[in-house]
Amino acid sequence: MREIGSDEAKTHLPRLLDEVAAGESITITKHGRPVAILVPAVSARVSATAAADALRAFRQKHRLQGVRIRDLEIAVVPVELSTATGTVLAVARSHGLGAYDAAYLDLASYRELDLATLDANLSRAAAAAGVTVAT
């Protein structure tokens, strides 16, 4: 994620908004300290239909080989709410993600699992965090 100063952001806001609309996230700093993050609006992200189509295509390439979802081992990981919230917020802030994506990335990192996503920002954040993105 790119960082720019508040003066530059004020001067180039229309260009920055175009970049964000294209999927980029930008951190705005004041005196070198992050104060805001510009991220794409939900409507600028992949539509639900496109995401469902991409998941279907992914499933065609990656078969469960007869395993049913109910047969998969599901683990509940007990964690103190304040710890989880703090961790997810830290991930969100450091990578410019929303809470849901940050929680997903944090869980993948904690459990040492691959992450499946079509979101460019989440893919970049996963790479930066050392989490493999399933392709």
Side-chain angles (χ1 to χ4, degrees), residues 55-71:
L55 284 172
R56 283 188 201 94
F58 181 84
R59 287 183 61 205
Q60 292 300 316
K61 291 182 185 176
H62 302 87
R63 290 290 187 191
L64 291 176
Q65 300 173 346
V67 176
R68 296 176 306 172
I69 289 178
R70 69 174 51 110
D71 297 332

Side-chain angles (χ1 to χ4, degrees), residues 74-80 84 107 110-111:
I74 308 254
V76 176
V77 180
V79 65
E80 189 68 34
L107 178 64
Y110 175 77
R111 300 287 294 184

Side-chain angles (χ1 to χ4, degrees), residues 8-78:
E8 182 182 351
K10 184 173 75 170
T11 303
H12 300 289
L13 185 60
R15 179 178 50 85
L16 296 176
L17 292 175
D18 288 341
E19 291 175 26
V20 171
E24 296 298 319
S25 294
I26 301 168
T27 299
I28 299 174
T29 62
K30 190 170 187 177
H31 306 294
R33 299 188 68 165
V35 294
I37 300 173
L38 296 177
V39 295
V42 173
S43 63
R45 294 185 179 183
V46 176
S47 72
T49 303
D53 291 343
L55 284 172
R56 283 188 201 94
F58 181 84
R59 287 183 61 205
Q60 292 300 316
K61 291 182 185 176
H62 302 87
R63 290 290 187 191
L64 291 176
Q65 300 173 346
V67 176
R68 296 176 306 172
I69 289 178
R70 69 174 51 110
D71 297 332
L72 297 174
E73 182 181 326
I74 308 254
V76 176
V77 180

Side-chain angles (χ1 to χ4, degrees), residues 1-2 19-26 38-40 45 91 94-97 101 105 115-134:
M1 179 179 348
R2 194 175 82 197
E19 291 175 26
V20 171
E24 296 298 319
S25 294
I26 301 168
L38 296 177
V39 295
R45 294 185 179 183
V91 170
S94 67
H95 297 290
L97 298 173
D101 287 348
L105 176 56
L115 188 141
T117 185
L118 298 175
D119 185 275
N121 291 330
L122 183 53
S123 292
R124 280 191 291 277
V131 173
T132 302
V133 176

